[in-house]
Amino acid sequence: MSLPHVILTVLSRHEATGYDITKAFSQNIGHFWKASHQQVYRELNKMSQLEWVTSELIEQEGKPDKKIYTITELGRKALTAWFEQPTPYTPTRDEFSAKLMACSVQSSDLLIEQINELIPQAEHMIQQFQLLEKQFYAYPEKLNIAARIERLILRRNILERKMWVEWAVEVKEQLTLQDTLI
Protein backbone atom coordinates (compact mmCIF):
# COMPACT_ATOMS: atom_id res chain seq x y z
CA MET A 1 0.00 0.00 0.00
CA SER A 2 1.25 3.45 -0.64
CA LEU A 3 0.58 6.78 0.96
CA PRO A 4 -0.51 8.50 -2.28
CA HIS A 5 -3.30 5.96 -2.74
CA VAL A 6 -4.58 6.52 0.79
CA ILE A 7 -4.59 10.27 0.11
CA LEU A 8 -6.37 9.72 -3.21
CA THR A 9 -9.00 7.69 -1.37
CA VAL A 10 -9.56 10.57 1.05
CA LEU A 11 -9.83 13.03 -1.84
CA SER A 12 -12.23 10.70 -3.66
CA ARG A 13 -14.68 11.25 -0.84
CA HIS A 14 -14.33 15.04 -0.77
CA GLU A 15 -11.92 17.84 -1.54
CA ALA A 16 -9.68 18.72 1.38
CA THR A 17 -6.80 20.81 2.56
CA GLY A 18 -3.49 19.23 3.52
CA TYR A 19 -4.45 19.96 7.12
CA ASP A 20 -7.76 18.09 6.69
CA ILE A 21 -5.93 15.09 5.25
CA THR A 22 -3.37 15.12 8.07
CA LYS A 23 -6.23 15.32 10.57
CA ALA A 24 -7.83 12.24 8.97
CA PHE A 25 -4.53 10.39 9.52
CA SER A 26 -4.63 11.26 13.21
CA GLN A 27 -8.24 10.09 13.48
CA ASN A 28 -9.89 7.32 11.47
CA ILE A 29 -7.00 6.48 9.10
CA GLY A 30 -4.50 6.41 11.94
CA HIS A 31 -5.81 3.00 13.04
CA PHE A 32 -4.16 1.36 10.06
CA TRP A 33 -1.79 3.85 8.41
CA LYS A 34 0.52 6.44 9.91
CA ALA A 35 1.74 9.54 8.09
CA SER A 36 3.24 12.74 9.39
CA HIS A 37 2.22 16.24 8.38
CA GLN A 38 5.41 16.53 6.31
CA GLN A 39 4.81 13.21 4.53
CA VAL A 40 1.28 14.22 3.53
CA TYR A 41 2.39 17.57 2.10
CA ARG A 42 5.37 16.00 0.33
CA GLU A 43 3.05 13.45 -1.32
CA LEU A 44 0.52 16.14 -2.26
CA ASN A 45 3.31 18.03 -4.06
CA LYS A 46 4.37 14.87 -5.93
CA MET A 47 0.76 14.07 -6.77
CA SER A 48 0.29 17.62 -8.12
CA GLN A 49 3.31 17.11 -10.39
CA LEU A 50 1.82 13.81 -11.60
CA GLU A 51 -1.48 15.66 -12.18
CA TRP A 52 -3.32 13.29 -9.85
CA VAL A 53 -4.61 16.26 -7.85
CA THR A 54 -5.21 19.93 -8.42
CA SER A 55 -5.29 22.65 -5.83
CA GLU A 56 -6.99 25.99 -5.41
CA LEU A 57 -5.49 28.69 -3.20
CA ILE A 58 -8.10 30.29 -0.95
CA GLU A 59 -7.18 33.61 0.62
CA GLN A 60 -8.27 34.12 4.21
CA GLU A 61 -8.49 37.23 6.35
CA GLY A 62 -6.30 37.12 9.45
CA LYS A 63 -5.17 33.55 8.71
CA PRO A 64 -2.70 32.00 6.30
CA ASP A 65 -4.07 31.18 2.86
CA LYS A 66 -5.07 27.56 2.36
CA LYS A 67 -4.91 25.15 -0.55
CA ILE A 68 -7.86 22.93 -1.25
CA TYR A 69 -6.93 19.74 -3.09
CA THR A 70 -9.20 17.87 -5.49
CA ILE A 71 -8.60 14.53 -7.16
CA THR A 72 -8.35 14.66 -10.96
CA GLU A 73 -9.51 12.10 -13.51
CA LEU A 74 -5.89 10.97 -13.83
CA GLY A 75 -5.78 10.56 -10.04
CA ARG A 76 -8.97 8.46 -10.13
CA LYS A 77 -7.39 6.25 -12.80
CA ALA A 78 -4.24 5.84 -10.69
CA LEU A 79 -6.38 4.92 -7.67
CA THR A 80 -8.38 2.41 -9.71
CA ALA A 81 -5.23 0.84 -11.17
CA TRP A 82 -3.76 0.46 -7.68
CA PHE A 83 -7.04 -0.93 -6.31
CA GLU A 84 -7.31 -3.52 -9.08
CA GLN A 85 -3.87 -4.97 -8.32
CA PRO A 86 -4.00 -8.10 -6.17
CA THR A 87 -3.15 -7.47 -2.54
CA PRO A 88 -0.67 -9.97 -1.15
CA TYR A 89 -1.00 -11.07 2.43
CA THR A 90 1.54 -8.97 4.30
CA PRO A 91 4.13 -11.16 5.98
CA THR A 92 4.65 -10.48 9.65
CA ARG A 93 7.84 -8.71 10.55
CA ASP A 94 7.67 -8.50 14.30
CA GLU A 95 10.61 -7.43 16.45
CA PHE A 96 8.81 -8.57 19.59
CA SER A 97 8.61 -12.14 18.25
CA ALA A 98 12.28 -11.99 17.27
CA LYS A 99 13.17 -11.01 20.84
CA LEU A 100 10.97 -13.80 22.15
CA MET A 101 12.95 -16.23 20.03
CA ALA A 102 16.15 -14.85 21.56
CA CYS A 103 14.83 -15.82 25.00
CA SER A 104 16.07 -19.34 24.27
CA VAL A 105 19.63 -17.97 24.58
CA GLN A 106 19.08 -14.82 26.67
CA SER A 107 17.46 -14.15 30.02
CA SER A 108 13.76 -13.49 29.55
CA ASP A 109 13.59 -11.00 32.43
CA LEU A 110 13.76 -7.92 30.18
CA LEU A 111 11.11 -9.25 27.83
CA ILE A 112 8.81 -10.02 30.78
CA GLU A 113 9.31 -6.41 31.95
CA GLN A 114 8.42 -5.16 28.48
CA ILE A 115 5.31 -7.33 28.43
CA ASN A 116 4.30 -5.94 31.81
CA GLU A 117 4.53 -2.42 30.32
CA LEU A 118 2.96 -3.24 26.95
CA ILE A 119 -0.14 -5.12 28.13
CA PRO A 120 -1.66 -2.09 29.92
CA GLN A 121 -0.80 0.09 26.91
CA ALA A 122 -2.54 -2.34 24.56
CA GLU A 123 -5.54 -2.58 26.90
CA HIS A 124 -5.74 1.21 26.98
CA MET A 125 -5.70 1.30 23.16
CA ILE A 126 -8.46 -1.30 23.06
CA GLN A 127 -10.56 0.86 25.39
CA GLN A 128 -9.92 3.95 23.24
CA PHE A 129 -10.86 2.07 20.07
CA GLN A 130 -14.01 0.70 21.73
CA LEU A 131 -14.99 4.22 22.79
CA LEU A 132 -14.56 5.39 19.19
CA GLU A 133 -16.66 2.47 18.02
CA LYS A 134 -19.40 3.27 20.52
CA GLN A 135 -19.26 7.01 19.78
CA PHE A 136 -19.20 6.91 15.96
CA TYR A 137 -20.30 3.44 14.89
CA ALA A 138 -22.82 2.29 17.51
CA TYR A 139 -25.48 1.35 14.95
CA PRO A 140 -23.67 -0.30 12.00
CA GLU A 141 -26.89 -0.93 10.11
CA LYS A 142 -27.57 2.82 9.98
CA LEU A 143 -24.11 3.78 8.72
CA ASN A 144 -23.28 4.78 5.16
CA ILE A 145 -20.78 2.61 3.27
CA ALA A 146 -17.76 4.80 4.14
CA ALA A 147 -18.57 4.68 7.86
CA ARG A 148 -19.21 0.92 7.73
CA ILE A 149 -15.79 0.40 6.19
CA GLU A 150 -14.15 2.68 8.78
CA ARG A 151 -15.87 0.62 11.48
CA LEU A 152 -14.56 -2.63 9.99
CA ILE A 153 -11.02 -1.27 10.03
CA LEU A 154 -11.46 -0.18 13.63
CA ARG A 155 -12.87 -3.62 14.54
CA ARG A 156 -9.80 -5.29 13.03
CA ASN A 157 -7.57 -3.17 15.25
CA ILE A 158 -9.63 -3.98 18.33
CA LEU A 159 -9.53 -7.71 17.61
CA GLU A 160 -5.81 -7.73 16.76
CA ARG A 161 -4.93 -5.95 19.99
CA LYS A 162 -7.17 -8.20 22.06
CA MET A 163 -5.49 -11.22 20.51
CA TRP A 164 -2.05 -9.70 21.14
CA VAL A 165 -2.90 -9.18 24.84
CA GLU A 166 -4.09 -12.79 25.12
CA TRP A 167 -0.89 -13.99 23.43
CA ALA A 168 1.33 -11.71 25.57
CA VAL A 169 -0.21 -13.10 28.77
CA GLU A 170 0.54 -16.62 27.53
CA VAL A 171 4.12 -15.62 26.62
CA LYS A 172 4.63 -14.09 30.06
CA GLU A 173 3.31 -17.24 31.76
CA GLN A 174 5.55 -19.49 29.68
CA LEU A 175 8.65 -17.35 30.19
CA THR A 176 7.99 -17.18 33.93
CA LEU A 177 7.56 -20.96 34.00
CA GLN A 178 10.78 -21.38 31.97
CA ASP A 179 12.69 -19.22 34.45
CA THR A 180 11.46 -21.33 37.40
CA LEU A 181 12.61 -24.54 35.66
CA ILE A 182 16.17 -23.31 35.08
Side-chain angles (χ1 to χ4, degrees), residues 75-109:
R76 288 187 192 285
K77 287 179 182 177
L79 180 60
T80 299
W82 165 78
F83 185 78
E84 290 175 348
Q85 293 175 359
T87 305
Y89 185 80
T90 307
T92 302
R93 188 173 171 200
D94 178 15
E95 186 175 358
F96 195 88
S97 293
K99 286 185 177 183
L100 176 58
M101 191 171 159
C103 285
S104 64
V105 294
Q106 298 284 324
S107 169
S108 59
D109 292 344

Side-chain angles (χ1 to χ4, degrees), residues 145-156:
I145 187 67
R148 284 182 186 201
I149 289 170
E150 290 170 7
R151 179 186 167 272
L152 289 171
I153 294 166
L154 183 62
R155 291 288 306 148
R156 177 182 178 186

Side-chain angles (χ1 to χ4, degrees), residues 38-115:
Q38 294 86 354
Q39 288 173 308
V40 168
Y41 280 95
R42 187 172 38 244
E43 289 302 321
L44 284 168
N45 285 331
K46 289 178 190 175
M47 293 163 58
S48 289
Q49 291 172 0
L50 293 169
E51 298 180 358
W52 289 3
V53 298
T54 59
S55 62
E56 178 184 357
L57 190 63
I58 306 292
E59 293 182 18
Q60 301 187 103
E61 295 261 341
K63 295 188 224 175
D65 296 343
K66 65 180 178 178
K67 272 188 185 177
I68 298 182
Y69 292 89
T70 306
I71 189 170
T72 64
E73 189 57 38
L74 200 55
R76 288 187 192 285
K77 287 179 182 177
L79 180 60
T80 299
W82 165 78
F83 185 78
E84 290 175 348
Q85 293 175 359
T87 305
Y89 185 80
T90 307
T92 302
R93 188 173 171 200
D94 178 15
E95 186 175 358
F96 195 88
S97 293
K99 286 185 177 183
L100 176 58
M101 191 171 159
C103 285
S104 64
V105 294
Q106 298 284 324
S107 169
S108 59
D109 292 344
L110 288 174
L111 199 63
I112 292 171
E113 283 180 36
Q114 289 178 20
I115 291 171

Side-chain angles (χ1 to χ4, degrees), residues 6 23 25 45 54 59 79 83 89 100 108 118 139-140 144 151 158-159 162 169 174-176 180:
V6 177
K23 190 173 163 185
F25 275 95
N45 285 331
T54 59
E59 293 182 18
L79 180 60
F83 185 78
Y89 185 80
L100 176 58
S108 59
L118 291 172
Y139 303 100
N144 65 31
R151 179 186 167 272
I158 291 168
L159 295 171
K162 281 183 175 182
V169 168
Q174 290 296 312
L175 290 178
T176 304
T180 60

